Amino acid sequence: MRHRPAGLPCELCVCDHENCQQVLVHTDNACCFRVGQQVCIKFSGAMTRSCPPQITADCVRPVNCCC
């Protein structure tokens, strides 16, 4: 697992495939994923009204090993 260099944001920009909406995901393991990789995200359900909306993830894993 790669670790985030100090000072860089811990976030992923993902596309929700159910509604084609981009969502900014705050997570400590953002640097562990690559462009185009499908992920499963567990979060509280709270989402900002910003553009793009933002969430804080409890868990982010590759689709083949979901939370």
Side-chain angles (χ1 to χ4, degrees), residues 39-53:
V39 295
C40 180
I41 300 170
K42 180 180 174 186
F43 71 108
S44 70
M47 183 180 289
T48 67
R49 294 183 185 187
S50 61
C51 189

Side-chain angles (χ1 to χ4, degrees), residues 14-31:
V14 300
C15 178
D16 181 339
H17 285 285
E18 288 193 21
N19 59 20
C20 295
Q21 180 180 32
Q22 287 190 340
V23 177
L24 189 63
V25 181
H26 299 282
T27 177
D28 287 338
N29 63 341
C31 65

Side-chain angles (χ1 to χ4, degrees), residues 3-11:
H3 294 283
R4 172 181 64 96
L8 291 180
C10 294
E11 46 195 42

